[in-house]
Amino acid sequence: MKLKYTFEMMEIDDEIVAVPVGDNANTLHGIVKLNGTGAEILKLIQEEKSESEIVEELGKKYESAHDEIQAFVAAFLKQMAAAGLIA
Amino acid sequence: MFTTTIRLAEKVIRIHSIYSRIGLLCRDYAVEAEEVDFEITITQQDIDRENESLERYSDGYLETLAVYRKICDGLLDYDTILMHGSVVAIGDTAYMFTAPSGTGKTTHSRLWLENIPGAYILNGDKPLLHITDTGVTAYGTPYRGKENYGVNGSAKLEAICILARGETNRIERVSAGAVLPELLRQIHLAGDVRAIRLLTKLTRNVAFYKLYCNTAPEAALLSFERMVQPQVYKK
């Protein structure tokens, strides 16, 4: 799984905002506002982790049930794909 | 080739150019120096890349744009960023107005000159901002816009105000997050990770305002009253 853009995270006013940087940055006319978990997932996608690897990483950190984390990650990835951010 | 050495935002930069116009533009910033912080060299390709519009500008003029582009790229390594806007100052404290071209930054800045004793324009178009963990310093540059407002000086930047036209004058303090899209539009090299990291630091060191204004003197009096600390004015 690969992102179409490279993002730099900005922590602004207790929010995390992902801003596109790099060669094709000016083709994405927008920024991505995230919560803490979303930022973690985005970081793992940038490291080119697979969906199951992302679920596993989050499972190590959070006490939620595996199914819950899996559903959350799936929903997040669906949103990212719908926004045209995932190749 | 021509060689010009300037001091800009506390950095000594040597410019190797094809045309001499850049020397004239930067004459207020020229220094004699053997040691420099960095050098830039302009090629014809750099000049050709600046000619994006249909109207043909001279290569000498386009070269001045290419020079600033390369200088600003180099200055990012020194925690200094170009932001499009007009910086007005009183003493050693500065306030920046930013907005898309044609909104009224220059008009509003001129209202400060006409109505706020002691106010001056540090730079009317393309100032440089040196950003650290403890504060931001705005610098004048040779790139002053078509009205040529500016001086070779510096001042501590206290606030950035996003300007918009309004029937009546109204100003509000806003969060950095609320105006982040506008800030991203106005900083140079926004696709460069160094610029984004500096912008993050910037948001922690200045106050942000949104001003809706017309061209009456009251607009300047309002923005001054809300943005400037009373003790600064008493100086």
Side-chain angles (χ1 to χ4, degrees):
Chain A
M1 181 166 38
K2 212 168 147 46
L3 283 169
K4 283 185 188 170
Y5 307 90
T6 304
F7 288 97
E8 176 70 14
M9 305 295 185
M10 296 178 75
E11 286 189 38
I12 307 277
D13 301 331
D14 301 327
E15 263 190 329
I16 299 170
V17 179
V19 177
V21 293
D23 292 337
N24 63 347
N26 60 359
T27 62
L28 177 62
H29 302 290
I31 54 180
V32 185
K33 287 192 177 179
L34 301 160
N35 60 20
T37 312
E40 282 185 71
I41 297 175
L42 186 59
K43 187 168 163 293
L44 291 168
I45 301 173
Q46 292 212 122
E47 292 170 11
E48 296 192 24
K49 300 275 189 229
S50 67
E51 185 171 345
S52 58
E53 285 171 326
I54 293 171
V55 172
E56 190 184 331
E57 284 295 322
L58 293 185
K60 288 178 196 169
K61 194 170 173 182
Y62 298 105
E63 289 179 3
S64 306
H66 177 86
D67 289 350
E68 213 176 304
I69 295 176
Q70 197 167 43
F72 184 89
V73 171
F76 183 89
L77 293 177
K78 193 173 171 188
Q79 269 193 309
M80 293 284 283
L85 301 177
I86 293 182
Chain B
M1 294 293 277
F2 296 89
T3 298
T4 307
T5 306
I6 64 172
R7 185 190 307 279
L8 190 61
E10 312 290 355
K11 293 293 163 237
V12 180
I13 304 160
R14 184 155 292 136
I15 304 164
H16 302 283
S17 61
I18 299 173
Y19 300 95
S20 60
R21 185 166 173 161
I22 188 66
L24 188 63
L25 179 70
C26 296
R27 61 191 178 282
D28 292 342
Y29 293 77
V31 291
E32 298 281 337
E34 293 201 4
E35 304 246 337
V36 300
D37 291 295
F38 64 95
E39 300 190 47
I40 63 162
T41 301
I42 301 299
T43 65
Q44 187 60 45
Q45 201 176 11
D46 295 325
I47 294 172
D48 292 341
R49 222 176 274 134
E50 296 296 333
N51 194 15
E52 287 176 354
S53 75
L54 294 175
E55 192 176 339
R56 181 76 183 138
Y57 293 103
S58 70
D59 275 7
Y61 169 72
L62 293 173
E63 186 179 56
T64 66
L65 304 181
V67 164
Y68 206 27
R69 192 181 295 277
K70 284 201 170 182
I71 285 177
C72 290
D73 183 76
L75 283 173
L76 283 176
D77 289 330
Y78 295 94
D79 299 332
T80 302
I81 193 167
L82 162 63
M83 186 163 174
H84 181 230
S86 181
V87 177
V88 294
I90 301 176
D92 51 13
T93 311
Y95 307 86
M96 183 174 203
F97 294 99
T98 190
S101 294
T103 304
K105 298 185 294 294
T106 304
T107 302
H108 193 74
S109 300
R110 229 175 356 235
L111 287 176
W112 272 56
L113 293 186
E114 292 163 4
N115 294 282
I116 313 294
Y120 64 97
I121 296 178
L122 183 59
N123 183 274
D125 187 32
K126 295 185 175 71
L128 290 168
L129 306 181
H130 176 60
I131 303 167
T132 71
D133 291 324
T134 52
V136 182
T137 305
Y139 287 90
T141 76
Y143 297 83
R144 299 172 176 167
K146 51 183 183 295
E147 295 84 7
N148 200 29
Y149 283 133
V151 296
N152 182 357
S154 65
K156 183 175 188 292
L157 188 68
E158 290 287 341
I160 294 176
C161 183
I162 315 300
L163 211 82
R165 290 188 188 179
E167 290 283 323
T168 56
N169 297 308
R170 177 168 63 91
I171 188 169
E172 55 188 3
R173 180 95 182 248
V174 295
S175 65
V179 294
L180 183 60
E182 284 97 334
L183 298 177
L184 285 166
R185 275 192 279 273
Q186 301 303 334
I187 61 163
H188 184 57
L189 296 174
D192 190 307
V193 69
R194 295 171 297 171
I196 299 304
R197 287 176 186 163
L198 284 174
L199 183 59
T200 303
K201 227 183 271 193
L202 173 72
T203 64
R204 293 173 189 156
N205 282 284
V206 302
F208 293 91
Y209 293 84
K210 187 87 188 256
L211 170 69
Y212 300 89
C213 64
N214 53 36
T215 57
E218 289 71 32
L221 296 173
L222 176 67
S223 61
F224 169 78
E225 183 187 307
R226 284 294 305 274
M227 290 166 63
V228 179
Q229 296 300 315
Q231 55 266 31
V232 171
Y233 180 51
K234 280 178 190 166
K235 285 179 195 169

